[in-house]
Amino acid sequence: MAKRIEPVALSRGLVLRSAVGLADAAGLESLTMRRLAEVLGVEAMSLYHHVANKEALLDGVVEVVMDEVAETVAGLDRPERDWRATMRMTVLAARGVMLRHPWAPGVFTTRGSASLPVVRYIDDIAGIMRRGGFTQDLIHRALHALGGRALGFAQELFEPGDAAGEGGVESLGPMAAMLPNLVAMLSEVVHDDPDSTLGWCDSQAEFEFGLDLILDGLERHRTA
Amino acid sequence: MAKRIEPVALSRGLVLRSAVGLADAAGLESLTMRRLAEVLGVEAMSLYHHVANKEALLDGVVEVVMDEVAETVAGLDRPERDWRATMRMTVLAARGVMLRHPWAPGVFTTRGSASLPVVRYIDDIAGIMRRGGFTQDLIHRALHALGGRALGFAQELFEPGDAAGEGGVESLGPMAAMLPNLVAMLSEVVHDDPDSTLGWCDSQAEFEFGLDLILDGLERHRTA
DNA sequence: ACCTGAACACCGTTCAAGT
DNA sequence: ACCTGAACACCGTTCAAGT
């Protein structure tokens, strides 16, 4: 499970990047100081010379992910004239990074106050809207309305696969009688979309639908 | 800190309600099997006779909170003819319950698959839309677009109070130069709303703005 | 059946000691 | 300056024993 690597010099950057790698490979619950040290071929206490404590480690992990987002966004060819297209492209790029680190939303939302890299990303988003002709007040409300969605977080109420994943609607089992509306909905929608590869529905399309709903609404407020 | 109560007979319901009370009073990080047992005046291992393990305890905690939501929703006088008003009223009622349990979103989003009480709530939401004339496909997409917001979760990217809480825009400090758009936005918006009691902005109004953006968008899809 | 106490395998973290 | 090993105060949980 834990593969030791050569005894390279430890550094904050290496510790943080290894933490991201460990969470990617083995899940967030595996990211402990002791396991991380083991991966780095070092004693747990050595980590404390590069990171104040576990909270600081998680702050650093957010930094690493946000650096990846910033790099991806920097590589985009945005049509700055069109605020809506630019925003859409930026948010979907951030989402692409988050899909590579499915545990990231769980860490971001426990981080109390926003770190510099997150705030810098939001500043970019605000700039897109400003150049698009938003008032400051509308920018403010837009940032709240987007919330985690600005970084590509979906916050679904349940994950694909539990209600109508393999077993179909029948797998709802004895509760089906209590859920007439969901049963009716699922029996129709699942049939409509039989070869969706991503589960009981294509969550990329669903994310974009929700994002567009908000962007459309903002555009209407902008021109009002 | 931990107040012992009389040695009443333990039961699953009492264990779960005490767990909610402990999280309310001392925060989610205080909700441990040992602390919960102490509050109940019992040994930690006694809890395992009423709850399989900590995961099951948290599932039960979700149940308790959802029961509170269901009770609140049942007491509403909904104008069923108007899907939009009914939906709005229902979601805001759920949000009212969540505001009493600020730790709840953090527990709900770690619950993997949806529990029966959550699914039953979603079924109600689906029913509102169905009676409002939604197609099954639009109901499906609407549920994804709402996500956690259907239960009143906001998922803000940062909490009020860290950027421009007490100290105002200046408290952004040395990073201000890197954040021209946010500085411009905050210096204007905070002035517009000087006596907001809830922090740097009124999050209830912000939540309703975001919710209305989605409901308006859905209404437009419905009539298209 | 319900509850207990000791024990185990983990955590994060402090501290004194090494180099 | 950086790393170590033992130790401490916590976790969740197993198990054998009590009533």
Side-chain angles (χ1 to χ4, degrees), chain B residues 166-199:
Chain B
E166 317 297 301
V169 182
E170 310 81 45
S171 68
L172 282 171
M175 29 174 126
M178 288 163 145
L179 309 169
N181 301 299
L182 286 182
V183 168
M185 187 268 280
L186 288 172
S187 62
E188 187 166 321
V189 172
V190 172
H191 265 271
D192 279 0
D193 191 15
D195 47 11
S196 161
T197 53
L198 286 146

Side-chain angles (χ1 to χ4, degrees), chain B residues 29 40 43 47-48 51 59 71-72 79 84 90-91 94-95 128-129 138-139 154:
Chain B
E29 75 283 356
L40 285 162
E43 218 61 27
L47 302 176
Y48 287 82
V51 130
D59 288 342
E71 202 178 347
T72 306
R84 205 183 165 297
T90 303
V91 171
R95 176 173 153 87
I128 294 169
M129 293 189 278
L138 187 56
I139 293 174

Side-chain angles (χ1 to χ4, degrees), chain A residues 105 109 112-114 116 118-120 122-124 126-127 130-131 136-151 153-159 162 172 175 178-185 188-189 192 200-201 206 209-210 213-214 216-218 220-221, chain B residues 105 109 112-114 116 118-120 122-124 126-127 130-131 136-151 153-159 162 172 175 178-185 188-189 192 200-201 206 209-210 213-214 216-218 220-221:
Chain A
T109 52
S113 63
L116 180 57
V118 172
V119 177
R120 226 193 274 124
I122 299 175
D123 189 75
D124 180 42
R130 188 58 182 154
R131 291 189 295 277
Q136 300 291 13
D137 186 62
L138 187 56
I139 293 174
H140 176 219
R141 287 188 290 175
L143 290 177
H144 279 284
L146 283 166
R149 214 181 297 250
L151 270 169
F153 302 161
Q155 203 192 29
E156 298 282 353
L157 234 27
F158 43 83
E159 299 302 310
D162 52 332
L172 282 171
M175 27 173 128
M178 288 163 144
L179 308 170
N181 301 300
L182 285 182
V183 168
M185 188 268 280
E188 187 166 321
V189 173
D192 279 1
W200 72 291
C201 59
E206 302 302 337
F209 177 79
L213 225 49
I214 293 175
D216 288 347
L218 293 174
R220 213 156 18 249
H221 274 86
Chain B
T109 51
S113 63
L116 180 57
V118 172
V119 176
R120 227 193 275 123
I122 299 175
D123 188 75
D124 179 43
R130 188 59 182 154
R131 292 188 295 277
Q136 300 291 14
D137 185 61
L138 187 56
I139 293 174
H140 175 220
R141 287 187 290 174
L143 291 176
H144 279 283
L146 284 166
R149 212 181 299 251
L151 270 169
F153 303 161
Q155 202 193 32
E156 299 281 353
L157 234 26
F158 42 84
E159 299 303 308
D162 52 335
L172 282 171
M175 29 174 126
M178 288 163 145
L179 309 169
N181 301 299
L182 286 182
V183 168
M185 187 268 280
E188 187 166 321
V189 172
D192 279 0
W200 71 292
C201 59
E206 302 302 336
F209 177 79
L213 224 49
I214 292 175
D216 288 347
L218 292 174
R220 213 158 15 251
H221 274 86

